[in-house]
Amino acid sequence: MRWWSLIACLLILQACREPAISWPEDRPIEVKKPQFFPAFDYPSDNRPTTLRVLLGRTLFYDTRLSANGTTHCGSCHVLSAAFTDGRATSPGMAGIGGNRNAPTLANIAWMNRLMMEGGVPSLETQALAPLHDSLEMGYNMMHVVERLNRDGDLTALAKKAYGRDSIDPYVITRALACFQRTFVSGDSRHDRFNLGQKDHMNVAELRGKELFFSERTQCSSCHSGVFFTDMDYHNIGLSLVYTDPGKARATHKAEDVGKFKTPTLRNIQLTSPYMHDGSMSTLEEVIAFYNQGGVPHENRDVRIQPLNLSDQEQADLVAFLISLTDWNFVQNKDLLPLEGR
Amino acid sequence: MKNTFLLVGFLSVILWSCKDEPEPPVTTTADVNVSFNALWDDQPFVMQQVYMDDFGNRLRADKLMNYIAFVTLVAEDGTETQLKDFMLLDFSENNEISATLPKGKYTQLKFGVGVPRDYNKDQDPAQYPSSHALSVAGSQGMFWVWNTGYIFAKFEGKCDTTGTEGAELLTPIAIHAGDEISYREFVSAPFVLDLTSGSKSMRVNLHIDEIFSPVNGNDVDLAQDAITHTSTNPELAADFMDNYIAALTVDL
């Protein structure tokens, strides 16, 4: 090749990389949250800014993040289903003990540890997981990095948001975490009722609420606090033999077999099917299961006992669970893909 | 008298010039090169080649990698010099550490096999630049994304445990050891590495034949089990690591 053709090529490449979009100035933002949600401590290197959230939002819906270029985070975490995907288990997240049901990402910022056995300490580290086909990190992430760095607009955005020379695993994981920390859901009818707007729940729902918070059902001892989870791990006697060992997968302890993180119940109406393996398709089925007390697995929590609930009481519990849906959250346009990208 | 005068003048010139002359350089350091080699029956271990172990199983390795941490030489007087913080050994390639250290006699080599807790538990590989052994790129798949932590050692390959001569190797071997239960510290037998006179090299040998053998006290018999992701079979991971440590020798 002659030297001038080399220069011409370089110029063309340079032109390709030239960003077409001029991104606005970055500035810190305060993620809105309901007053009754606890305060949140951001990692010191990843406080939210307009451009960080924007970058995360772009990446969350970017198919270049998957090995085969067809899926993105939003394929399994769909906003209209409160960031779940309606499937029993999600193919592509290969697990040792079978695949798992995609969990909601609502209020994910407040979850102290991630994944159903709690093996991951932060959203930043979690973001490495979906970028690999297997449970073990391969080179995928480096391919993703290479692909994204060819996008001049995106690299310019990344530079502005994180001040680093290029898009690297650090930037990708931070930006994804930053966007996910804006998934705040605290505006259900039940929340409004609690804030004093008493007309937001009907009598059946209120009867269900009472049952839910009663000694008799003990639901709220595990599904506790504003997020309806104690962030702890329990075996609820789902089956006698767990193909997915749950927490034991990380701890190697027999007493942890079948223990899974208590899921939040916010937006539960929209996140079927239920349980770690998606084995129950309706809330009625879930309540019938609790009413029966599960099966006597040796690790089953003592609180899971036959409840002797009447049909009416079971229906009331379902009604209560439905009052936990936050319709504004699942229609929040800021959480959808950016238009035009 | 004239001569004396001249002599004094001459001498003073010499002395003067000596005073101004830079000190002749005295080297206080020496280079050491440490190579890590896999062996089978004291011969270089060849990936993909079929070997027969002490249990009569035939096996081959497709991948053999492990982390080492804080490779340190201990001097005669007990002072320690760290040659390398973290390194990922890949036995399909050459693995060498070159370091410069104070001249002297060294008597011991030690290093961790795996990644020590403070650098492993809940740590984020994205915090390191790509050139670092613990980074996303540098870890080359030696990381569990669902249970944040590094895979300390990986042995992948195939085996035949039926004892049938010439049979195809069909049973997969996948030993992935990690987690605190798999971290080990290697301390060599004493030696004398004389780095007073100049640079030297030393070899760390991993005797693979001794891993798949009862000689070191833990049966890693592929006929019993050949697969662990640590959590699925912590005993195999621990036995493998114990044998690994015992199968290391240092040659000067």
Side-chain angles (χ1 to χ4, degrees):
Chain A
M1 206 192 302
R2 293 271 161 79
W3 63 269
W4 41 264
S5 54
L6 192 73
I7 293 210
C9 279
L10 284 175
L11 278 175
I12 290 169
L13 278 174
Q14 188 57 34
C16 293
R17 293 178 53 98
E18 204 60 57
I21 304 174
S22 77
W23 302 104
E25 273 315 299
D26 201 11
R27 60 187 164 76
I29 50 168
E30 182 118 15
V31 176
K32 280 204 206 81
K33 68 163 188 71
Q35 283 261 290
F36 54 91
F37 274 21
F40 182 76
D41 282 334
Y42 291 94
S44 57
D45 69 344
N46 203 17
R47 290 186 212 287
T49 67
T50 45
L51 294 188
R52 287 174 178 185
V53 171
L54 181 66
L55 177 62
R57 182 174 173 188
T58 313
L59 294 175
F60 194 87
Y61 292 109
D62 194 328
T63 53
R64 286 174 294 188
L65 262 63
S66 69
N68 58 11
T70 58
T71 51
H72 47 66
C73 310
S75 311
C76 300
H77 300 290
V78 185
L79 176 62
S80 59
F83 287 117
T84 64
D85 66 0
R87 291 180 288 189
T89 58
S90 293
M93 286 285 288
I96 293 176
N99 290 351
R100 288 177 176 172
N101 178 253
T104 179
L105 303 181
N107 305 318
I108 196 73
W110 282 272
M111 300 301 138
N112 59 351
R113 294 191 70 90
L114 302 165
M115 308 302 241
M116 295 180 192
E117 62 275 270
V120 177
S122 69
L123 276 174
E124 280 78 4
T125 351
Q126 198 285 330
L128 289 169
L131 300 172
H132 300 90
D133 310 332
S134 74
L135 290 170
E136 288 153 14
M137 191 165 68
Y139 275 120
N140 270 7
M141 177 55 125
M142 297 325 287
H143 291 309
V144 170
V145 164
E146 208 185 295
R147 254 175 266 161
L148 294 180
N149 271 312
R150 278 184 232 133
D151 182 334
D153 287 331
L154 204 66
T155 38
L157 175 58
K159 254 177 233 179
K160 270 197 140 163
Y162 285 98
R164 289 168 78 100
D165 292 340
S166 61
I167 299 182
D168 60 9
Y170 180 91
V171 168
I172 296 172
T173 54
R174 263 65 191 168
L176 283 169
C178 221
F179 177 51
Q180 292 177 86
R181 291 200 178 99
T182 67
F183 299 177
V184 180
S185 172
D187 188 21
S188 64
R189 287 191 291 113
H190 179 248
D191 293 315
R192 292 186 184 192
F193 175 88
N194 280 351
L195 290 173
Q197 303 174 32
K198 298 295 174 197
D199 56 335
H200 277 275
M201 284 175 78
N202 64 33
V203 280
E205 290 163 350
L206 288 172
R207 284 196 306 263
K209 177 175 160 83
E210 199 160 314
L211 270 173
F212 185 88
F213 289 99
S214 68
E215 289 273 306
R216 185 173 160 211
T217 65
Q218 308 228 49
C219 305
S220 65
S221 68
C222 294
H223 299 282
S224 57
V226 284
F227 303 114
F228 295 88
T229 167
D230 56 359
M231 301 190 198
D232 208 345
Y233 309 84
H234 309 280
N235 178 317
I236 59 169
L238 213 52
S239 58
L240 284 174
V241 180
Y242 279 83
T243 44
D244 184 336
K247 190 154 181 66
R249 187 166 84 158
T251 63
H252 323 148
K253 290 188 190 141
E255 76 234 39
D256 286 340
V257 169
K259 287 190 183 167
F260 290 85
K261 185 171 68 184
T262 309
T264 178
L265 297 181
R266 287 185 171 274
N267 307 300
I268 192 74
Q269 171 192 13
L270 304 175
T271 65
S272 80
Y274 303 108
M275 304 302 171
H276 69 272
D277 53 0
S279 56
M280 296 181 195
S281 24
T282 63
L283 286 174
E284 285 76 9
E285 224 177 302
V286 174
I287 300 301
F289 159 84
Y290 277 114
N291 191 37
Q292 187 216 317
V295 293
H297 186 281
E298 56 181 356
N299 294 337
R300 181 181 57 176
D301 193 284
V302 290
R303 285 164 288 189
I304 308 296
Q305 295 286 337
L307 297 175
N308 300 312
L309 298 169
S310 68
D311 288 352
Q312 179 66 61
E313 287 170 322
Q314 292 188 50
D316 290 346
L317 270 175
V318 172
F320 168 67
L321 292 176
I322 287 173
S323 76
L324 303 179
T325 306
D326 175 352
W327 291 104
N328 288 330
F329 171 63
V330 294
Q331 296 177 81
N332 182 350
K333 290 205 167 51
D334 291 342
L335 306 183
L336 285 172
L338 265 184
E339 275 172 38
R341 256 194 86 86
Chain B
M1 183 63 213
K2 208 175 172 190
N3 275 349
T4 325
F5 188 77
L6 262 179
L7 189 69
V8 169
F10 191 15
L11 274 177
S12 61
V13 167
I14 289 177
L15 283 173
W16 173 255
S17 63
C18 278
K19 207 177 146 204
D20 222 15
E21 199 110 299
E23 297 265 335
V26 184
T27 41
T28 55
T29 58
D31 294 335
V32 66
N33 178 282
V34 187
S35 66
F36 295 82
N37 312 279
L39 304 178
W40 187 284
D41 284 344
D42 297 325
Q43 297 302 310
F45 178 75
V46 183
M47 302 298 270
Q48 260 105 32
Q49 185 167 310
V50 179
Y51 295 94
M52 166 99 75
D53 73 13
D54 286 350
F55 297 101
N57 304 317
R58 290 182 312 125
L59 65 111
R60 68 150 211 260
D62 298 329
K63 183 178 269 182
L64 175 53
M65 290 166 90
N66 71 270
Y67 271 107
I68 51 174
F70 304 126
V71 182
T72 302
L73 270 170
V74 186
E76 232 173 2
D77 65 358
T79 48
E80 300 191 350
T81 309
Q82 186 180 302
L83 312 184
K84 185 89 190 161
D85 53 358
F86 298 101
M87 184 172 175
L88 180 56
L89 303 179
D90 177 351
F91 288 100
S92 65
E93 294 170 1
N94 288 334
N95 301 287
E96 290 186 17
I97 298 174
S98 295
T100 305
L101 58 172
K103 273 189 170 173
K105 286 190 174 148
Y106 291 85
T107 57
Q108 214 158 39
L109 178 75
K110 48 186 202 177
F111 54 83
V113 178
V115 180
R117 186 191 159 91
D118 287 354
Y119 297 85
N120 181 50
K121 184 91 186 107
D122 290 345
Q123 295 301 304
D124 178 4
Q127 70 185 295
Y128 300 105
S130 288
S131 56
H132 198 283
L134 298 179
S135 70
V136 174
S139 61
Q140 300 181 44
M142 300 286 280
F143 191 80
W144 281 304
V145 286
W146 61 274
N147 186 26
T148 306
Y150 293 89
I151 300 171
F152 298 171
K154 247 188 203 182
F155 188 107
E156 289 174 2
K158 289 268 165 64
C159 63
D160 177 66
T161 59
T162 63
T164 322
E165 213 177 304
E168 210 184 320
L169 306 189
L170 293 174
T171 311
I173 310 171
I175 297 174
H176 294 183
D179 237 333
E180 269 160 80
I181 60 159
S182 299
Y183 187 70
R184 297 290 181 277
E185 263 162 22
F186 170 73
V187 179
S188 74
F191 51 71
V192 180
L193 174 72
D194 190 348
L195 285 183
T196 47
S197 47
S199 299
K200 290 272 162 59
S201 59
M202 60 195 296
R203 297 168 54 85
V204 178
N205 295 320
L206 174 63
H207 302 267
I208 311 284
D209 51 308
E210 292 182 17
I211 295 181
F212 298 98
S213 159
V215 295
N216 288 320
N218 304 289
D219 287 4
V220 179
D221 179 357
L222 297 171
Q224 304 292 324
D225 42 6
I227 295 193
T228 179
H229 295 272
T230 303
S231 55
T232 52
N233 187 346
E235 296 79 17
L236 176 57
D239 285 351
F240 177 85
M241 294 304 283
D242 285 337
N243 279 4
Y244 183 109
I245 285 289
L248 287 168
T249 58
V250 173
D251 282 356
L252 299 186

